[in-house]
Amino acid sequence: MEFKQLEAFVNVVKYKSFSKAAEATYLTQPTISTHISSLEKELGVKLVDRNGKESRPTKHGRAFYNYAINIINTRDRAVIAMTDLANEIAGTVDIKTSGIPGQFIVPEIIAGFHQKYPRVSFNVEQSDTGKVWDDIQENLGDIGFSGYYINNSLKCCLLLTDRPVVITPRNEKFTEIRKKKDKISIDDLMDEDFIWREEGSATRRTFEEWAKSHGHNDLSTVAVINSIEGIKECVRNGMGVSVMSKTAARGEQENDGGPIMVFELEDMDMEREFYMIYNRNTTLSPSAQKFKEYVESIYMG
């Protein structure tokens, strides 16, 4: 069993494709296939299901994947430790992030880290919170950023807190409300159509749970859009209202005379929390370990 075989297998599982794994490692697709076939022959089991549009690990492949990740990352960390190349960290960090962190938090973090460690590159995939947790649990990413705490299966580090706000079009109704008060009530929104992120969105989940606790289970949904900017554009054009993190609405709040109005919610003392997550049972690569430590130094002193 050779490291190049393990690396080929890990990359095929991560990228769900032999061709994408080849691109990521600057190898040819036949080379990747040969490495995995040799590994399967040595282990006596099939590791990758090659049928269908995506290449996925078999039952044996899923079990072997965690061992392979730990072997590769332990080797890399041993090399770094023995050669004292802490300032020469190189490699790729695979980041899985939900919407708000991916748009408003992660870019600043990776830009700062890249200045210190220019030989480190990043693969950043943005999805909903549930998928982020699943991907990190299954070692399909190194570090995750999430706006919702799901369970204690992963190591979870609190980065910062935020509050949900309501964004509305600047129409007669909401202009009159703003003249009377700075905050908006749930009752003020009952006749409105809502534009939501996908069901896995932490902001949406937080608001819906709060609305239910106040006896409102019948919010009207006019659209579901997996894009913060797409939601803002719909609100700007009077299609409905939406709820998002205050961080995501910062630009609209600063542009007080613009076409979108931002309201905090009356009687809502719930705060959004943003986390960095990683698999406590997996040895991180040197670059991912250094990145984790960098994030901790910024947000946790």
Side-chain angles (χ1 to χ4, degrees):
M1 186 182 302
E2 300 178 7
F3 281 113
K4 60 186 179 182
Q5 296 171 338
L6 297 176
E7 289 168 343
F9 169 66
V10 164
N11 281 311
V12 167
V13 174
K14 275 189 176 182
Y15 297 109
K16 302 177 183 178
S17 164
F18 279 74
S19 60
K20 290 180 180 178
E23 291 175 7
T25 54
Y26 303 103
L27 297 173
T28 64
Q29 186 171 334
T31 300
I32 294 292
S33 297
T34 299
H35 287 331
I36 292 181
S37 295
S38 299
L39 188 60
E40 291 176 327
K41 184 176 180 180
E42 181 176 349
L43 294 173
V45 295
K46 187 177 181 181
L47 298 174
V48 178
D49 185 352
R50 295 161 174 81
N51 297 322
K53 294 182 179 180
E54 294 184 341
S55 300
R56 295 187 175 275
T58 63
K59 177 182 177 181
H60 292 101
R62 288 193 297 271
F64 185 69
Y65 179 72
N66 291 334
Y67 291 108
I69 282 278
N70 281 316
I71 290 170
I72 292 170
N73 289 345
T74 299
R75 175 205 61 181
D76 292 345
R77 291 177 69 169
V79 170
I80 293 294
M82 292 301 100
T83 55
D84 193 28
L85 291 176
N87 292 323
E88 297 294 328
I89 293 290
T92 299
V93 181
D94 288 311
I95 294 176
K96 307 292 184 177
T97 177
S98 58
I100 301 302
Q103 239 177 302
F104 301 97
I105 299 174
V106 172
E108 183 176 353
I109 293 175
I110 64 176
F113 184 83
H114 184 68
Q115 288 184 344
K116 297 187 67 173
Y117 302 97
R119 296 178 61 196
V120 175
S121 59
F122 296 90
N123 287 325
V124 182
E125 180 181 337
Q126 187 169 307
S127 57
D128 62 56
T129 294
K131 188 174 187 304
V132 170
W133 278 72
D134 288 344
D135 284 348
I136 299 300
Q137 182 71 58
E138 296 173 15
N139 288 316
L140 298 178
D142 300 314
I143 303 291
F145 291 90
S146 166
Y148 199 85
Y149 181 87
I150 293 181
N151 54 53
N152 62 0
S153 62
L154 301 172
K155 180 65 177 178
C156 194
C157 307
L158 177 63
L159 301 182
L160 54 93
T161 59
D162 201 353
R163 299 178 68 86
V165 295
V166 178
I167 64 169
T168 75
R170 185 175 294 278
N171 58 23
E172 182 179 353
K173 172 183 174 178
F174 293 110
T175 300
E176 287 301 313
I177 290 175
R178 173 55 54 82
K179 289 178 181 178
K180 299 174 184 176
K181 54 186 180 179
D182 291 329
K183 295 185 177 182
I184 201 166
S185 71
I186 186 68
D187 292 333
D188 293 326
L189 300 170
M190 283 305 93
D191 294 331
E192 298 298 322
D193 291 325
F194 280 80
I195 305 160
W196 293 116
R197 289 278 309 283
E198 67 280 0
E199 289 189 5
S201 162
T203 303
R204 176 177 178 177
R205 186 183 308 179
T206 298
F207 181 80
E208 288 180 330
E209 289 175 355
W210 176 76
K212 287 179 182 178
S213 71
H214 285 69
H216 296 288
N217 300 314
D218 53 351
L219 302 180
S220 173
T221 299
V222 67
V224 177
I225 302 176
N226 188 20
S227 163
I228 296 297
E229 291 307 315
I231 290 173
K232 289 180 180 179
E233 193 64 26
C234 288
V235 172
R236 187 176 289 113
N237 285 280
M239 188 174 177
V241 302
S242 188
V243 180
M244 61 180 56
S245 166
K246 189 174 183 179
T247 297
R250 184 168 49 205
E252 284 67 33
Q253 197 159 29
E254 292 171 353
N255 182 20
D256 192 40
I260 292 179
M261 304 180 73
V262 181
F263 291 88
E264 293 194 10
L265 283 151
E266 291 180 0
D267 303 321
M268 188 181 198
D269 56 4
M270 299 175 67
E271 289 190 332
R272 283 288 312 280
E273 296 179 332
F274 295 105
Y275 302 91
M276 175 178 69
I277 59 176
Y278 58 92
N279 194 325
R280 69 179 87 233
N281 298 317
T282 299
T283 302
L284 292 173
S285 68
S287 52
Q289 176 67 23
K290 188 63 67 174
F291 179 76
K292 177 183 77 71
E293 293 170 359
Y294 175 77
V295 176
E296 290 172 339
S297 71
I298 294 176
Y299 290 97
M300 289 165 265

